[in-house]
Amino acid sequence: MMRGPRLLATAAALACAVAFVPDTAHAHLVDTRLGDFYSGALHPLTDLQQVLPWIALAVLAAFQGAQRARWIILVFPLALAIGGIASLAVPLPSFGPLLGLVLVAVTGLAVAAAARLPLGVLLAIAVVMGLLHGAQNGAAMVATTDRLLFLSGMTAVGYGVITLATGSAIAFLHGAPWRPIALRAGGSWVAAVGIMVLGLHLVRPVAG
Amino acid sequence: MSGRAFIARAATAGTSAKPDAATSPAGGVRLGGRALLAPFAALGGLAAALLCLVVGLLVPATMARAHEATMAVITLREIAPGRFIGQWTMPPVDLSLQPIFPPHCTWEPPELVCGARGLTGQLSFMGLGSKQSVATIRVIPHEGPMEVYTVSAAKPTVMAARDPGTDLAVWRDLAETYVNLGIDHILRGIDHLLFVLGLIWLVKGGWKLVKTITAFTVGHSISLAAATFGWVGVPERPLNAAIALSIVFVGVEIVKLQRGEVGLTARYPWTVAFAFGLLHGLGFATALTTLGIPQATLPIALLFFNVGVEIGQLTFVAVVLALLWAHRQAQALLPRWGAAIPAYVIGSVASYWFLLRI
């Protein structure tokens, strides 16, 4: 009787994995008709490879307790902004997509394990993720983009998502004992998708 | 075919002095310390307000760049209901410039066929840019006066509409146009959002906040209607300056409240919100009055525009309240010594706008 849901789960995981393949995560400016602030805000939200690890990071932070978790509300948006600004001067590193996938897998695994991390390690993950995603979003700007507005929008949405996800995860963890298990199960999914796509990325034959 | 109206769906709608940005809501970040928490003093809000300051400082300068305008005019003469013959009466500099008509119209130069719905819907031009920055469509209908639509690189689309009567499709077009215009206007109107943020900060939550926001809504709806119908008129520059001043006032009220003084807003929040709502409504009206909407569609346009403004405003309030809740869950609140900083930042930004606008 369990085969149906399992098959469904496997299909969903594969679908996520396909959605995550780095080649599909190319630069994509989103025209919101509301100007570059909102384009910058919407840009990361259209990329599952960014939003999913943000939420995983927030859940991971929530597992550390509110006293530690609150630091990522400050650190992550700052790192995102710095990454975006850095993209104006420094080209994206070639290992960026690989690092992005590693971050997905690592945060997913840590959530699945409900790992208790030192604050420094948690913040290091937040900083690396913020810098990388900030740079990736910043690199999507074109010559006509108002950089200040775009980066402001990106930072604002990073702050909004990480704050809402962290607060929600902390609130969710208070209560019935199944709740941490549910979040850990979600983390295992993120880890599975990250590892699958990482595998695809590493074994992909080199063109030419 | 009489009674047609041209309605700009302003992708860049808004008052001229508004920076193009949105406000992130306030929450509070307490980075250690056992001080009494100030739950509505968020570091996120502080960061957002600082961001606004930077945006406010930089955007007007970039918006003020000179831009060379070269005009192209195409004239459409209606030869039968829904059928037009088009001709460039002022040919474009850039020959790749092409008009884009609503999907239900078929454009096979020089003939445009729109059928029973007529020429209603979104109009635009393909190829607007540095070479050709402005283009105009002139429509000479079978009956009624000539209509003129101007599209520019800054305002890339224009809506053509007519008195809806019982035509559901036209009603839908009008609703889509003006609800979107209202949402666009409030979301791009950082000064209005900053004022709403100040109100939330002052009133904190609960029914008092519901009453205050409702009073603000009623106030701006009344003055929006009055200004749109031409019953009242205020020059744009002093109006925008007064709107900036209203935000300064809210900033001062927040500081007063934090010092334990009971200010005017703390005592009569809904009255203050209503009064300033009247002021902000006049500001909202500039988005409509500058479009030159004919009287036939004006009440409908006003209704849908106001609905759009409310949707945008309520969305903003919901996001702010959600963020405040999340900050409280994460115990991410400012220490007491920093609680007043966001209010000062809001006041400083608004003061800067005030000086810029007088």
Side-chain angles (χ1 to χ4, degrees), chain B residues 70 74 77 81 83 110 121 126 128 131 157 192 230 270 302 323:
Chain B
T70 44
I74 187 168
R77 188 179 294 276
R83 285 186 67 197
M126 188 168 62
L128 274 182
K131 282 186 190 171
T157 60
H192 302 302
W270 71 267
L302 177 66
L323 282 167

Side-chain angles (χ1 to χ4, degrees), chain A residues 5-155:
Chain A
R6 274 187 196 164
L7 273 174
L8 202 66
T10 312
L14 281 171
C16 284
V18 169
F20 258 69
V21 172
D23 277 355
T24 61
H26 50 75
H28 52 285
L29 263 186
V30 189
D31 180 17
T32 61
R33 83 168 187 268
L34 288 171
D36 287 329
F37 179 89
Y38 288 99
S39 294
L42 201 61
H43 191 261
L45 298 182
T46 56
D47 190 355
L48 200 62
Q49 203 170 331
Q50 296 199 7
V51 178
L52 205 59
W54 290 7
I55 294 169
L57 175 68
V59 174
L60 180 61
F63 272 117
Q64 318 305 312
Q67 292 287 320
R68 290 181 177 181
R70 64 188 182 195
W71 283 97
I72 66 160
I73 293 175
L74 174 67
V75 170
F76 181 73
L78 278 178
L80 208 56
I82 293 167
I85 294 165
S87 74
L88 302 175
V90 185
L92 261 181
S94 58
F95 58 83
L98 186 68
L99 179 61
L101 292 172
V102 169
L103 283 169
V104 175
V106 166
T107 48
L109 282 171
V111 170
R116 288 288 291 178
L117 302 173
L119 182 61
V121 175
L122 178 72
L123 294 184
I125 295 172
V127 166
V128 172
M129 194 184 286
L131 289 174
L132 177 70
H133 291 175
Q136 285 176 334
N137 283 300
M141 290 187 288
V142 294
T144 52
T145 308
D146 187 317
R147 290 164 177 179
L148 179 68
L149 290 178
F150 187 91
L151 294 179
S152 302
M154 178 196 72
T155 307

Side-chain angles (χ1 to χ4, degrees), chain B residues 3-344:
Chain B
R4 282 195 184 179
F6 289 109
I7 304 154
R9 180 182 189 171
T12 52
T15 52
S16 58
K18 274 178 202 159
D20 180 3
T23 309
S24 286
V29 177
R30 184 184 66 174
L31 301 175
R34 288 181 291 277
L36 180 66
L37 302 180
F40 288 87
L43 195 60
L46 172 63
L50 284 168
L51 205 65
C52 294
L53 176 64
V54 176
V55 171
L57 286 170
L58 298 183
V59 169
T62 57
M63 286 170 97
R65 282 177 197 150
H67 194 68
E68 192 183 340
T70 44
M71 178 75 93
V73 180
I74 187 168
T75 302
L76 297 166
R77 188 179 294 276
E78 193 171 35
I79 51 170
R83 285 186 67 197
F84 302 82
I85 293 292
Q87 186 185 12
W88 287 106
T89 41
M90 194 183 287
V93 177
D94 183 356
L95 294 174
S96 67
L97 188 80
Q98 284 298 323
I100 303 170
F101 294 106
H104 67 275
C105 297
T106 311
W107 171 234
E108 286 174 2
E111 192 178 36
L112 176 73
V113 181
C114 294
R117 283 177 68 183
L119 185 51
T120 57
Q122 190 169 292
L123 302 177
S124 188
F125 276 91
M126 188 168 62
L128 274 182
S130 55
K131 282 186 190 171
Q132 192 80 59
S133 55
V134 182
T136 294
I137 298 176
R138 289 198 311 174
V139 183
I140 304 171
H142 205 53
E143 293 172 6
M146 185 173 69
E147 299 148 1
V148 180
Y149 310 87
T150 300
V151 176
S152 67
K155 195 177 77 176
T157 60
V158 171
M159 280 301 280
R162 64 168 192 243
D163 188 352
T166 54
D167 191 336
L168 198 63
V170 180
W171 275 95
R172 202 171 50 232
D173 279 348
L174 282 169
E176 190 189 338
T177 302
Y178 285 105
V179 169
N180 279 320
L181 185 61
I183 294 172
D184 289 7
H185 187 71
I186 186 82
L187 291 185
R188 293 169 70 93
I190 177 93
D191 43 5
H192 302 302
L193 294 180
L194 209 56
F195 182 81
V196 173
L197 179 66
L199 285 182
I200 297 170
W201 203 312
L202 269 168
V203 183
K204 293 189 170 62
W207 274 110
K208 210 172 176 183
L209 178 64
V210 174
K211 283 186 214 166
T212 306
I213 295 294
T214 307
F216 181 67
T217 302
V218 171
H220 73 60
S221 299
I222 290 171
S223 58
L224 169 62
T228 310
F229 286 120
W231 300 332
V232 291
V234 181
E236 196 173 328
R237 228 177 143 74
L239 172 67
N240 284 334
I243 288 172
L245 212 54
S246 72
I247 304 164
V248 178
F249 173 81
V250 167
V252 172
E253 289 285 288
I254 294 169
V255 174
K256 271 188 181 175
L257 194 68
Q258 284 169 343
R259 286 179 181 169
E261 297 171 34
V262 183
L264 197 66
T265 315
R267 255 179 294 174
Y268 312 108
W270 71 267
T271 315
V272 171
F274 177 79
F276 283 121
L278 290 173
L279 184 68
H280 282 248
L282 296 174
F284 294 147
T286 55
L288 282 180
T289 51
T290 52
L291 302 179
I293 305 163
Q295 292 295 321
T297 49
L298 198 54
I300 303 156
L302 177 66
L303 172 73
F304 287 130
F305 179 80
N306 211 15
V307 168
V309 168
E310 296 324 314
I311 291 171
Q313 185 177 288
L314 288 176
T315 305
F316 177 73
V317 171
V319 169
V320 172
L321 292 179
L323 282 167
L324 289 173
W325 172 83
H327 270 278
R328 283 195 297 274
Q329 294 299 319
Q331 298 171 23
L333 307 162
L334 274 176
R336 182 183 272 181
W337 58 264
I341 296 173
Y344 278 106

